[in-house]
Amino acid sequence: TLLINFMIRTKNRDETLTQLSYRDSLTSLYNMRKFMDLLKDFQKQSKAYTIIYIDLNDFKHVNDMFGHDTGNQALIIAAKKLSNSIKESDYAFRIGGDEFTIILPGNHETDLIHGLMGRIKDSISREIVLKNARLKLSASCGYARCPEDSSDYETVSKMAEDSMYEDKHKSKQNLIQE
């Protein structure tokens, strides 16, 4: 029984380490590694999905003005807002500094996707009050769908990212015109 207990503890420890390796240490969202693994799995199984890319606009200014501790607190809050905007069956990721993605498994109408992106933008734009700062963040979003846009996960991911950059460009153009 000692051997069996040891094997069970080792297996549990390995599962815990695997789960930890899929999480972003700051926000506890899934990380880039999990994002890529999930996309590869979906492609192997020919599953439909939507990827939404989200980028916090001009986030560098938060770190520059208030410091990285405040920036990290803001990222944690933005990640919670993101998680609260999606269903339990969806996946939220932090894939880099102030960049996030969401994977929505299954087929989704564009109206639903645009509605979700609007809710995410609204949620992120609500003022964040911290000990040493009051922040008003904004986000740019873009999406692509599999198989409608492509059946290759790398292409779908790139299209979603490009779509997000188009949104970012449009929002900067709107600021210039106002």
Side-chain angles (χ1 to χ4, degrees), residues 14-170:
D14 289 349
E15 287 173 3
T16 301
L17 289 173
T18 299
Q19 285 306 310
L20 288 172
S21 74
Y22 281 136
R23 294 287 179 175
D24 174 65
S25 60
L26 179 66
T27 63
S28 296
L29 293 180
Y30 289 117
N31 61 20
M32 178 62 110
R33 179 178 177 197
K34 176 71 173 179
F35 178 68
M36 296 308 293
D37 285 355
L38 194 59
L39 289 177
K40 289 173 188 173
D41 287 348
F42 278 19
Q43 184 162 317
K44 277 184 202 161
Q45 299 171 29
S46 300
K47 285 188 174 180
Y49 59 89
T50 298
I51 298 176
I52 299 175
Y53 262 76
I54 302 112
D55 184 74
L56 301 180
N57 296 325
D58 301 317
F59 191 76
K60 182 182 179 316
H61 296 308
V62 173
N63 285 329
D64 290 348
M65 287 178 65
F66 301 103
H68 288 279
D69 286 345
T70 298
N72 287 345
Q73 290 173 13
L75 287 171
I76 291 166
I77 292 169
K80 283 184 180 147
K81 290 179 175 191
L82 200 60
S83 292
N84 291 337
S85 298
I86 62 174
K87 297 186 289 190
E88 274 189 40
S89 57
D90 301 332
Y91 301 86
F93 307 83
R94 179 177 176 224
I95 57 169
D98 62 348
E99 289 190 356
F100 301 87
T101 60
I102 294 172
I103 295 179
L104 309 173
N107 292 306
H108 299 283
E109 297 296 321
T110 56
D111 289 350
L112 179 135
I113 299 164
H114 284 278
L116 175 58
M117 291 191 310
R119 286 191 304 280
I120 289 168
K121 286 180 174 186
D122 288 345
S123 181
I124 287 176
S125 71
R126 287 191 203 107
E127 187 176 54
I128 297 172
V129 179
L130 302 170
K131 258 192 266 181
N132 64 332
R134 294 172 83 92
L135 305 174
K136 193 132 171 77
L137 303 176
S138 68
S140 296
C141 299
Y143 76 95
R145 299 180 295 172
C146 174
E148 293 86 347
D149 296 314
S150 175
S151 58
D152 174 64
Y153 75 90
E154 290 173 321
T155 303
V156 175
S157 183
K158 178 80 172 98
M159 291 173 78
E161 185 178 22
D162 290 347
S163 174
M164 181 268 301
Y165 281 115
E166 282 178 38
D167 186 48
K168 186 176 283 292
H169 180 72
K170 282 181 198 165

